Structure formats: structure tokens, C-alpha cells
Amino acid sequence: MVGVLVDPRQRIMEVYSLQKETITLHDGDLFIVPEILPGWEFPVEEIWAPEFD
């Protein structure tokens, strides 16, 4: 199981998964969740809609 907290004010994503440390992602990082979506990746900066800029 994986949970993701998206904080547009700080422009970070926190990825929570069982028995793993929390991962904090920033612009320039890739959001990758191989347990759920193998082979899929998403640049963090693309999550921010223009109204968040």
C-alpha cells in the first residue's frame, strides 16, 4: 500500500509505504511507484497546475 501527500504550497510530494521510510520529492525529482505502476515515472514539477505557480 502506498499513500501520497501533495503539498502545492511547499511544492513537495511525500510518498508513504509500508515498512519503508517516507520519501520527500521536490521539483527535479521523479515520482516512481514500481509496486503499483511498474515502468511508469512522472516528473514532480509537472503535477503543479498553473494556478499553483
Side-chain angles (χ1 to χ4, degrees), residues 12-23:
I12 63 169
M13 295 174 68
E14 293 181 336
V15 183
Y16 301 89
S17 55
L18 297 175
Q19 300 176 355
K20 291 186 180 180
E21 289 188 35
T22 300
I23 299 170

Side-chain angles (χ1 to χ4, degrees), residues 30-43:
L30 289 174
F31 176 61
I32 301 170
V33 188
E35 303 89 4
I36 298 173
L37 301 166
W40 183 82
E41 55 186 45
F42 188 81

